[in-house]
Structure formats: structure tokens, C-alpha cells
Amino acid sequence: MGNEKNLKVWKLALLGFGNAGQAFAKMLLDHEEEIASNYGAKVIVTAIATGRRGNLVCGSGSEATDAEGIDLRRALADVKSPAGKFTDETVLTSMTTMEIVAQADYDILVEMTPLNIQTGQPAIDHIRGAFRRGKHAVTANKGPIAWAYRSLRDMAKEAGVRFCYETTVMDGTPVFNLAEHTLRLAKVTEVSGILNSTTNFILEELAAGAEYEDIMRRGRERGFIEADPAMDIEGYDAAAKITALLNVLMDAGLTPDQVDRKGIEDITEGDIQEAASRGKVIKLLCRGWRNADGTVHASVQPTEVDRSDMLASIDSTTSIVSITTDLMKKLSVVEHQPEIEQTAYGIFGDVLRVICE
């Protein structure tokens, strides 16, 4: 892997080690040599915080262990074991997540804890804690972007650190990077799309005549429908996503509770059949636009779409976002039926942005 003595070491603290965190860790391992050869860097993980598997912190053990970081292969094997808990006594710790944020040795905090749709906490405080220490932050949790984007953005700028969040909407699809790097001086005037794959899947399956309980069972088996799907079905997840998009792309300063939100909970098979008789399909559409007074308005609503419309072709767990600007007009990005690897790549790509910029 080249001369390791010449590599710049970057230390990561991972908050959360669920499916996305595990896929990200595997990606780090699989691409270790490429990171070294392309970026002159070595990325190690010095802390992992979880809700039920235990917490790991590297930094008080032997010099060899500290130099290599946590043994990710062992950590991955542990979570796949019947017990599902970390077993490496050399790095197991009683430190809490907030203590890890405040005290652990890391350069980049990677926030992957579960979303709190009501407040965005404690993920917001995790990121603030990193910024107070002059540490970079990457988040896959949309809560901080939906509830506190402006303050976090300004705090990162003041601290002179990077704040990356590509994974918060449409997994690893480079929506924010697209706007930042290829739409220079273009002002975003509207954002719209189909952003919740669960409701898109449910509506499509209902239209095909499937029974609701069977749809939910198959979705849970495939891993994208939660045991309690209310956050998706009632439009909360979509509201958080459109809020995050508008806050970043239009500096909207919105929170999810300001979105005009209606989910698909009241859509019946009869509604779907009636729409079909008129050549239409029902989709849960997200939209945000700037009013004449400069404020931004957002909505999440079940909407009838003509079968000839591109939105009607967005099937299964596929998502789409359309961005309208004054100079480039309207462009759309489609994410086709993502797997967990896309989410992991979004985190991976953000980490690479930090270490190479």
C-alpha cells in the first residue's frame, strides 16, 4: 500500500453502526489501497457508538492499536454474530455517545444515528459538539439539515471545518454536489420530486391489485419498510427530505412542521382505480418554491399524474428530484432502486471530499 509513513492519517468517529454504517466500514476496508494511492491518506476508525451493540473507543490502548484504529473486520464480524455485540475488550468503553463526541480522538464525525423526525436531536447536538472542537462532520441523518441547517452551516464556517450531508436525501445520489459544483450563479427557484420510496412502492403495488398486508410484508422482507411505517405513509419522511433540499438549495430556513403535508394514509383502492380510468396514477409528490415575497413554501401531497408524465415512470423504490433554476432551467436526477451500497457510498464520498479538499 505504498509508504505508509508518508500517508496523512484521518481518524473517524462513527455514530451508528447499522446497515449503512456496516456497509460504509466495508467500503473503507475494500478501498484502503485506492485511498492511499489516490489521496495520500490513510483512514482509520477510532470510535464507534451504537444503541445496543456497545461502544468502542481507540486512543488509550497500545500505540500499535491506536495507529491502526479499531479492527473493523472484527467489529463487522461481531455485529453479524448471534450476540450481535462488540467483543474487543481492548477498545470497549463505558463512554456515552455525547462523551465520545466531546472526548474521543477523531478528525471527522460521521453521524448515522436514527432520525428523530420531531426535533432532529440528538444528531444536531452531536454535530455541534464536533464543530466546537474544530472537527469536520459528515451526516447521513437528515434531521440536522431539516431542523438546524443554517445554524450548523454557519457554525462550521466559523470553525473552519467541512460539513457534508449528501446522504441525507436520495442516499448517495450527488444532488447537493451537483448544485454546488455545476450550477454556479444559477439561483434555484423550485425543487420537486418523488422522495419517499416506501410510499411509491405501496402506491404502485396497490395499483397492480396487490393486497395491502402482502405489500407491507414484502417491503419489510426487502428491508425498506419499517415495522412501524407511519413516518413514511403519513408523509413525515418526505417532508423532512423536501425541507432538507430547500434549506440547502434555496436557503429556505424551513423546518418539517412548516411543510403543507398530507400522506397516503387515506388513499383507497377506489381512488387509484378512478385515477387509472382517466389515464392517471397517484404519486406522493414533494414540492418547494419561492413566493413573491421571497419566502419559500413546501408541500407533500398525493397527486394525480398523467401516465405520459415522466413522474409516472418512477417505479418501485426509485426516486427522482427535479431542480429548476433561473439560468439552467429544469433538470432531473433519478436514483434507480437503490440498495444499501448507495447510502454507504454517499457517506464514503463525503469523507473523501473532506480529506482531499
Side-chain angles (χ1 to χ4, degrees):
M1 192 173 57
N3 188 349
E4 288 202 11
K5 291 184 178 179
N6 295 326
L7 299 178
K8 177 176 173 57
V9 177
W10 288 85
K11 302 173 183 179
L12 309 186
L14 310 185
L15 305 189
F17 204 63
N19 291 335
Q22 293 167 44
F24 168 62
K26 186 175 185 302
M27 203 167 280
L28 284 178
L29 291 170
D30 290 345
H31 297 277
E32 184 178 10
E33 292 188 7
E34 290 172 273
I35 294 171
S37 61
N38 287 307
Y39 302 109
K42 179 179 181 179
V43 178
I44 64 174
V45 173
T46 54
I48 302 176
T50 73
R52 57 186 178 85
R53 306 181 191 280
N55 290 348
L56 306 177
V57 172
C58 180
S60 58
S62 68
E63 289 186 10
T65 301
D66 292 351
E68 294 302 316
I70 291 167
D71 185 342
L72 288 182
R73 288 184 174 83
R74 179 170 179 175
L76 289 168
D78 282 346
V79 300
K80 298 297 185 185
S81 70
K85 295 182 181 296
F86 297 132
T87 62
D88 190 345
E89 296 289 343
T90 64
V91 288
L92 273 170
T93 180
S94 61
M95 291 173 68
T96 66
T97 300
M98 280 306 304
E99 287 171 341
I100 288 173
V101 171
Q103 301 172 32
D105 181 20
Y106 62 89
D107 303 301
I108 307 171
L109 186 78
V110 183
E111 166 50 67
M112 299 178 289
T113 63
L115 169 66
N116 181 333
I117 196 68
Q118 302 299 329
T119 65
Q121 292 287 15
I124 294 170
D125 284 344
H126 294 160
I127 295 170
R128 284 176 176 155
F131 290 163
R132 289 190 188 100
R133 298 182 62 196
K135 309 298 184 182
H136 307 283
V138 168
T139 182
N141 186 324
K142 66 182 73 68
I145 311 302
W147 285 97
Y149 173 69
R150 278 182 180 171
S151 66
L152 292 173
R153 175 199 63 193
D154 294 346
M155 192 175 181
K157 184 176 181 180
E158 184 176 345
V161 296
R162 294 302 306 269
F163 180 32
C164 301
Y165 34 79
E166 192 64 82
T167 319
T168 57
V169 180
M170 290 177 66
D171 308 295
T173 306
V175 176
F176 297 122
N177 282 325
L178 172 72
E180 179 181 353
H181 295 292
T182 67
L183 295 176
R184 299 183 188 278
L185 295 184
K187 295 179 181 178
V188 178
T189 57
E190 182 176 338
V191 179
S192 62
I194 297 171
L195 303 176
N196 183 268
S197 58
T198 296
T199 52
N200 199 53
F201 175 77
I202 292 171
L203 289 170
E204 183 180 65
E205 291 297 308
L206 286 173
E211 294 293 332
Y212 185 81
E213 290 305 321
D214 182 57
I215 296 169
M216 303 304 287
R217 177 187 58 78
R218 288 187 285 116
R220 290 188 180 106
E221 288 176 352
R222 291 175 58 183
F224 62 85
I225 293 184
E226 302 291 337
D228 180 5
M231 189 169 71
D232 295 309
I233 291 174
E234 296 175 14
Y236 289 102
D237 176 76
K241 287 177 178 175
I242 191 64
T243 302
L245 285 166
L246 296 173
N247 285 345
V248 176
L249 300 179
M250 298 177 69
D251 194 21
L254 291 176
T255 52
D257 56 352
Q258 294 173 300
V259 176
D260 181 12
R261 175 189 54 81
K262 175 65 177 175
I264 67 167
E265 64 272 21
D266 295 327
I267 299 297
T268 66
E269 184 180 349
D271 295 328
I272 293 172
Q273 291 176 349
E274 182 184 352
S277 71
R278 292 182 279 106
K280 297 179 182 293
V281 297
I282 297 176
K283 297 288 186 180
L284 186 66
L285 296 189
C286 303
R287 182 170 172 251
W289 64 95
R290 193 174 298 280
N291 298 310
D293 62 1
T295 60
V296 176
H297 185 81
S299 70
V300 172
Q301 300 286 331
T303 305
E304 291 189 3
V305 176
D306 287 334
R307 286 196 179 278
S308 60
D309 193 301
M310 178 176 65
L311 291 173
S313 69
I314 303 302
D315 63 349
S316 189
T317 58
T318 298
S319 299
I320 182 172
V321 65
S322 296
I323 301 171
T324 303
T325 74
D326 57 347
L327 300 179
M328 186 60 190
K329 304 310 178 186
K330 188 173 183 178
L331 56 90
S332 299
V333 180
V334 178
E335 178 190 38
H336 296 274
Q337 301 187 22
E339 302 292 341
I340 198 65
E341 287 74 20
Q342 278 92 325
T343 305
Y345 179 74
I347 302 164
F348 184 74
D350 274 349
V351 168
L352 293 182
R353 288 182 68 194
V354 174
I355 69 176
C356 73
E357 292 183 4

